[in-house]
Amino acid sequence: MFRNGLVQETERLLEHGLQKNRTAMQALGYRQVCDHLERGVSLKETIELVKVRTRQFAKRQMTWFRRQSGDAHWIEIPEGESAETTARRIEALISQDG
């Protein structure tokens, strides 16, 4: 996120009223980058905090998914696998479950 310009994006959004949008300020990274830009939190600390918050969010998502879809089939999609190959694998799983 930082390599792809999160700090610069946040600066531009601040110019357009980011802090007035409570929903946007809840997005991963924005609040922490605002603290970096406005309160002097170091960039290193900011990056580490965003990493921690992202992992926490991912953990909450996985917990939610497990609770919502107890009979879901999780599939790994190898990097570079085509959409067509993935679709065929999903179709095979569906036909097995009949």
Side-chain angles (χ1 to χ4, degrees), residues 3-4 14 16 33-35 43-44 49 65 71 91 94:
R3 266 188 243 122
N4 290 325
L14 283 169
H16 292 92
V33 173
C34 285
D35 287 344
L43 184 59
K44 183 178 179 178
L49 184 55
F65 281 124
D71 61 345
E91 288 171 346
I94 291 170

Side-chain angles (χ1 to χ4, degrees), residues 10-20:
T10 304
E11 287 173 326
R12 284 191 307 276
L13 291 172
L14 283 169
E15 292 170 8
H16 292 92
L18 172 66
Q19 289 182 313
K20 295 176 188 169

Side-chain angles (χ1 to χ4, degrees), residues 63-81:
T63 299
W64 184 87
F65 281 124
R66 279 192 295 276
R67 288 183 182 154
Q68 296 300 314
S69 54
D71 61 345
H73 294 277
W74 293 92
I75 62 169
E76 294 290 324
I77 300 175
E79 186 174 334
E81 180 175 273

Side-chain angles (χ1 to χ4, degrees), residues 9-91:
E9 175 184 331
T10 304
E11 287 173 326
R12 284 191 307 276
L13 291 172
L14 283 169
E15 292 170 8
H16 292 92
L18 172 66
Q19 289 182 313
K20 295 176 188 169
N21 186 324
R22 291 185 351 190
T23 302
M25 285 298 291
Q26 292 176 357
L28 288 171
Y30 286 143
R31 177 168 294 169
Q32 293 76 32
V33 173
C34 285
D35 287 344
H36 162 68
L37 294 170
E38 297 175 348
R39 294 182 182 79
V41 176
S42 77
L43 184 59
K44 183 178 179 178
E45 287 178 88
T46 301
I47 291 170
E48 288 306 312
L49 184 55
V50 170
K51 287 179 182 179
V52 168
R53 296 283 165 83
T54 301
R55 284 191 294 272
Q56 291 170 339
F57 182 73
K59 185 176 179 179
R60 285 193 307 273
Q61 281 185 316
M62 291 305 294
T63 299
W64 184 87
F65 281 124
R66 279 192 295 276
R67 288 183 182 154
Q68 296 300 314
S69 54
D71 61 345
H73 294 277
W74 293 92
I75 62 169
E76 294 290 324
I77 300 175
E79 186 174 334
E81 180 175 273
S82 71
E84 293 79 18
T85 300
T86 303
R88 282 194 299 273
R89 291 194 310 119
I90 292 170
E91 288 171 346

